Amino acid sequence: MTPADTGASTTVDAAASVSATDVPGAPGAPDAPDSRMAPGGPGYRRMSLALFLAGVATFALLYSTQALLPLISGDMGVSASDASWTVAAATGGLAVFVLPMSALSERFGRRTVMTASLAVAVTVGLLVPFAPSLPALVALRAVQGAALAGLPASATAYLAEEVRPRALVTAIGLFVAGNSVGGMSGRVITGWVAQEWGWRIAVGVIGLVAVACAVAFRMLLPAPKHFTPGSLRPRVLVRTVRDHLANPLLRRLYAIGALFMTVFGGVYTVIGYRLAEAPFSLPQGLIGSIFLVYLVGTVSASTAGRLVGRLGRRGALYLGGGTTAAGLLLSLAPSLPLVLLGLVLITAGFFAGHAVASSAVGKTAQHGRAQASALYQSAYYVGSSAGSTVGAVAFHSGGWAGTVGVGLLAVAGVVAITVLGSLAARRQAPDRPVRALSLSR
């Protein structure tokens, strides 16, 4: 989700790591004029629509079982914590493979890796409805998540190479919009379909939608003109990753992203169980529609830049964490309107915090920004897997209050890490006054 989606954390900063002089035909390069795509120019609309559809397919598949967990539990006779592995396995597979996929795209090309990733993911998506048991379903979802790792690993790099710099933010915004629409619509569609025909038919419908998106993506996406294959050099990749992990600020940002996603993953994995039980007893269609709250996150993420401008990066993180905590506490109320308001606050706080942390990664990394972004995505989806699993275990043992407790601990971790960042900045600059809410820190 990205700042405007369910968690793909694609950043403009990562794409910006490809400089104009690194791309043939770019301004300043020996073979100017610029031949890359721009709004109104050849191929730009096809490219935008192709990547929008790729984003829809990716996140519709990735979270296709999340709104269906109560039905999966009932059909397979398993607990909420067991069923949650159908979400955790997919996001965990993506977390593990996003960095290797980014390396493969450097060697074999962005379009090739994205096409192969979608082909494998949609094939598995058509097999998921026929899973005979929970272990088989979890295994299929893990493979699906690993395959989908090729999309966030390659899409921004493709855009950075093929689109003119002035149009890059808009182009990435359309891809992010596809992520958001896919993540939200996949959950809403499965909820209503499952209410009438069961969870297997619901995930099958999402699989067919993803097939259509994948075919259209491959037909529409223009062939790359500015990609230069690189060699797979594990030593260079390992050295770059080691450098990023040795940076204290990057480590803090990775931890913050993981902790925010732990809250979000836990809440939205378990909320269906809570709303299906008394005193709410909502039907599956209405439970799926709860994910329309994601639209609040789109607005929240888009305003994160203004928050940072007013409060500084740390101030925006404090606000995001505080809003999330307030939503968690409000969701404990036995009133549906208050629970929904709590979800609104949780979603707004999460997306704001995620947008601030993910954008700061590209600004902090001095080299290898694509790998820095991939590491953030790995941490982010590890948080999603941990939140889905731990949140469900907590719900199984302590009810919704247990899940809220896990979320509050994660928010406390965000606050603690942010405070440590402030203290570290003071130690590094003892001779000049340090404003806790400074944008530069």
Side-chain angles (χ1 to χ4, degrees):
M1 278 175 309
T2 59
D5 69 348
T6 59
S9 52
T10 300
T11 65
V12 175
D13 301 284
S17 63
V18 181
S19 67
T21 56
D22 292 332
V23 182
D31 55 342
D34 197 340
S35 60
R36 289 173 290 177
M37 289 181 282
Y44 183 84
R45 286 187 178 179
R46 290 177 54 211
M47 176 276 300
S48 298
L49 180 57
L51 289 178
F52 176 85
L53 293 174
V56 170
T58 298
F59 284 87
L61 289 171
L62 187 63
Y63 290 101
S64 59
T65 64
Q66 193 173 55
L68 305 175
L69 295 181
L71 295 181
I72 293 174
S73 290
D75 181 48
M76 294 188 166
V78 298
S79 67
S81 56
D82 290 335
S84 71
W85 280 102
T86 64
V87 179
T91 54
L94 194 153
V96 170
F97 280 88
V98 66
L99 194 59
M101 286 292 193
S102 70
L104 289 176
S105 76
E106 297 285 350
R107 177 65 181 89
F108 299 106
R110 321 302 184 188
R111 189 172 74 156
T112 299
V113 169
M114 287 189 286
T115 301
S117 293
L118 275 178
V120 173
V122 298
T123 300
V124 174
L126 296 177
L127 297 176
V128 165
F130 303 100
S133 63
L134 182 65
L137 177 58
V138 170
L140 287 172
R141 294 284 290 153
V143 173
Q144 194 171 48
L148 289 171
L151 268 296
S154 306
T156 16
Y158 174 91
L159 290 169
E161 292 163 350
E162 304 298 329
V163 175
R164 295 181 188 179
R166 290 185 179 180
L168 187 56
V169 173
T170 301
I172 289 179
L174 289 171
F175 177 64
V176 167
N179 295 345
S180 181
V181 170
M184 179 185 66
S185 62
R187 294 164 170 95
V188 174
I189 291 171
T190 55
W192 286 105
V193 173
Q195 181 173 307
E196 297 296 328
W197 296 290
W199 72 268
R200 294 181 185 273
I201 298 296
V203 294
V205 168
I206 292 299
L208 292 174
V209 170
V211 168
C213 289
V215 171
F217 161 81
R218 188 60 181 83
M219 294 176 62
L220 290 170
L221 190 68
K225 297 180 179 179
H226 304 289
F227 171 72
T228 302
S231 61
L232 289 173
R233 294 182 290 176
R235 287 185 183 179
V236 175
L237 179 62
V238 169
R239 185 167 62 247
T240 302
V241 169
R242 186 174 61 238
D243 289 346
H244 291 327
L245 294 178
N247 185 318
L249 178 52
L250 285 177
R251 288 201 305 267
R252 289 194 292 269
L253 292 171
Y254 296 153
I256 286 171
L259 288 169
F260 265 121
M261 193 55 176
T262 297
V263 181
F264 198 68
V267 165
Y268 276 100
T269 294
V270 174
I271 190 63
Y273 290 97
R274 181 163 194 233
L275 296 178
E277 295 177 350
F280 308 114
S281 303
L282 297 183
Q284 185 63 44
L286 286 178
I287 291 174
S289 297
I290 294 299
F291 291 94
L292 289 170
V293 172
Y294 272 30
L295 293 174
V296 174
T298 301
V299 176
S300 173
S302 65
T303 61
R306 291 196 291 273
L307 285 177
V308 171
R310 289 187 176 186
L311 303 176
R313 187 170 66 216
R314 295 193 190 98
L317 289 173
Y318 288 134
L319 181 61
T323 303
T324 303
L328 286 167
L329 293 172
L330 195 59
S331 71
L332 291 168
S335 163
L336 184 59
L338 291 179
V339 171
L340 294 179
L341 179 58
L343 289 176
V344 167
L345 293 177
I346 292 167
T347 304
F350 160 73
F351 273 106
H354 165 50
V356 172
S358 62
S359 62
V361 168
K363 295 177 182 177
T364 302
Q366 299 301 310
H367 69 286
R369 285 176 176 155
Q371 284 71 39
S373 179
L375 285 171
Y376 179 87
Q377 292 177 44
S378 294
Y380 179 82
Y381 283 109
V382 166
S384 177
S385 296
S388 299
T389 304
V390 177
V393 170
F395 180 79
H396 183 69
S397 59
W400 181 251
T403 301
V404 168
V406 170
L408 290 173
L409 284 175
V411 172
V414 169
V415 173
I417 291 170
T418 307
V419 170
L420 288 174
S422 297
L423 296 175
R426 285 189 172 92
R427 287 194 299 270
Q428 291 171 2
D431 298 328
R432 59 186 174 88
V434 178
R435 290 190 302 138
L437 305 183
S438 170
L439 174 60
S440 62
R441 286 174 249 103

